[in-house]
Amino acid sequence: MTGVLVVTAVPAEAEAIRAGRGPTVTVAPVGVGPAVAGAATARLLALAEAAGRPYRLVVSAGVAGGFTGRVKVGGTVVGTSAVAADLGADSPTGFIPVDQLGMPAELLGGGPTITADPTLVAALRAALPAAAAGPVLTVGTVTGTVAGTDALLRRHPDAVAEAMEGYGVAVAAAHAGLPFVELRTISNPVGPRDRNAWRLREALTALTEAAAALPF
């Protein structure tokens, strides 16, 4: 076991990370979506701590959709925060984020936005100078329309990418008292789903290259 835990959604992403890093980090595919990713990550962290070999940092890594004009397909993203972008309530006037629903703060965990560890962000940005940096949105339902994309960008004007696990992993790391950062490579633009335009192979190759540059 190493001191660095890198979690991905699916095995193909884990294999891409291992191709770049070998055994120098622990890589685990934990499943798709924030709930399963958070639960599985929390279990891995708890087991390592119980075994007396705790991890010292957590990375959520994998392929994502990128917002057009902010990161290109095949590009790399360093997440400065993980945002639970669809956690809240619908209303006649639009989406209401969970932190605006009047719930006690203690019920919100780290809140709908968890800031990535600044030291880890700085290290990744130095190692990957061509990468875009900004908030990565975590969603339970991938955006598939122009209207949905526009609505997300109105609420999160600095967002650079959309994925499905980062916030769940960030919550697990926060509960364990560990630093967290998110690393993504882009297979497709956020918006209408055109599978013929996806570049998954290119994104996985970029993920291997990014993993090889990890400074930890």
Side-chain angles (χ1 to χ4, degrees):
M1 182 181 298
T2 69
V4 178
L5 176 62
V6 181
V7 296
T8 69
V10 299
E13 294 166 326
E15 291 166 7
I17 295 289
R18 292 189 188 108
R21 291 297 294 182
T24 60
V25 299
T26 298
V27 187
V30 294
V32 176
V36 67
T41 301
R43 183 174 185 273
L44 290 171
L45 296 177
L47 288 173
E49 185 173 357
R53 294 178 293 173
Y55 293 104
R56 57 185 175 84
L57 64 93
V58 182
V59 183
S60 177
V63 170
F67 287 103
T68 301
R70 303 182 182 195
V71 59
K72 65 181 181 179
V73 172
T76 300
V77 165
V78 176
T80 57
S81 60
V83 183
D86 55 6
L87 183 61
D90 198 7
S91 80
T93 58
F95 179 79
I96 304 173
V98 67
D99 57 340
Q100 296 179 22
L101 294 177
M103 297 181 182
E106 59 269 21
L107 297 182
L108 299 181
T113 297
I114 298 181
T115 301
D117 182 80
T119 300
L120 295 181
V121 170
L124 282 180
R125 295 189 72 178
L128 300 165
V136 176
L137 307 185
T138 298
V139 294
T141 301
V142 172
T143 305
T145 66
V146 172
T149 304
D150 291 345
L152 277 181
L153 288 176
R154 283 195 298 271
R155 299 201 303 268
H156 307 284
D158 298 326
V160 291
E162 171 191 271
M164 300 184 74
E165 295 80 31
Y167 179 78
V169 176
V171 169
H175 278 268
L178 295 177
F180 159 86
V181 72
E182 189 164 3
L183 175 67
R184 296 282 175 176
T185 55
I186 304 304
S187 62
N188 59 280
V190 178
R193 293 173 63 79
D194 177 6
R195 294 297 295 267
N196 292 326
W198 286 18
R199 297 293 180 265
L200 184 58
R201 181 172 297 180
E202 289 90 333
L204 290 172
T205 298
L207 191 59
T208 295
E209 293 171 352
L214 290 176
F216 36 73

